[in-house]
Amino acid sequence: MAVLLASALDSISIHTGSEFLVTEVTADGEPVDAPFSAESLPGQPMISVGPNGVVIDSGSLAKSVIHVRYERWDGPPEQLAAWTPMWEGKLYLGSGAIGLVQYFYEGWDECLPFDTGVKEASWSVRVQTRRLTNTEEPDFPSDVVHGELYRVQLWP
């Protein structure tokens, strides 16, 4: 059974559109390069993958808040039943850090870098999502209460 070694939580407010990146960043939280060339995955309209990060289309309106939890494991963690799998594959993190960013007309947002503790390494990664909506009051729209959670799990 895999053991969770470290975790961190970060949030971002979507400025324009509905896309954000979980990508390699420096220790200061700046993206390593310009946005990577991402390849859309067949059957996964919400996620595109590049060599050092993923572009996620949340489908949310501008001003929505996205919450991402990073987890570093010593081996493959179990898939959580209540979470929807989005993508699993490999990412290369030369800087050893990953972060949540969005580009808008004024430049890059600052982000909290999650340090994996290992530079110049490829990581196995799983991205999962869970959307929380109003289930308590059926007489009101389900999106009155709306939250988007993303879990990014990394292991060697």
Side-chain angles (χ1 to χ4, degrees):
M1 180 174 208
V3 174
L4 178 65
L5 301 174
S7 66
L9 182 64
D10 197 7
S11 300
I12 191 172
S13 180
I14 300 294
H15 296 286
T16 58
S18 56
E19 291 185 344
F20 62 95
L21 288 84
V22 178
T23 189
E24 181 182 7
V25 296
T26 66
D28 296 330
E30 294 290 325
V32 169
D33 292 313
F36 53 81
S37 174
E39 174 187 347
S40 293
L41 301 177
Q44 295 289 339
M46 295 176 54
I47 194 164
S48 301
V49 178
N52 64 341
V54 296
V55 177
I56 298 173
D57 185 346
S58 69
S60 294
L61 301 173
K63 310 268 190 227
S64 294
V65 178
I66 304 297
H67 304 280
V68 175
R69 176 180 162 93
Y70 306 103
E71 299 176 346
R72 183 170 54 93
W73 293 80
D74 66 351
E78 291 184 31
Q79 172 68 44
L80 300 172
W83 289 72
T84 303
M86 295 184 75
W87 174 75
E88 189 167 327
K90 299 269 188 200
L91 293 180
Y92 178 78
L93 303 178
S95 70
I98 194 165
L100 173 63
V101 296
Q102 183 188 26
Y103 186 79
F104 61 104
Y105 68 95
E106 295 172 357
W108 292 100
D109 276 345
E110 292 181 17
C111 71
L112 170 74
F114 179 69
D115 188 356
T116 63
V118 182
K119 293 184 181 200
E120 305 293 332
S122 289
W123 291 87
S124 294
V125 179
R126 179 186 298 140
V127 179
Q128 303 169 87
T129 188
R130 186 161 184 209
R131 294 172 189 237
L132 307 176
T133 59
N134 174 32
T135 58
E136 302 295 316
E137 297 293 336
D139 296 337
F140 291 87
S142 63
D143 64 351
V144 167
V145 176
H146 178 84
E148 288 190 49
L149 309 177
Y150 295 87
R151 188 177 298 265
V152 179
Q153 298 171 316
L154 301 105
W155 64 94

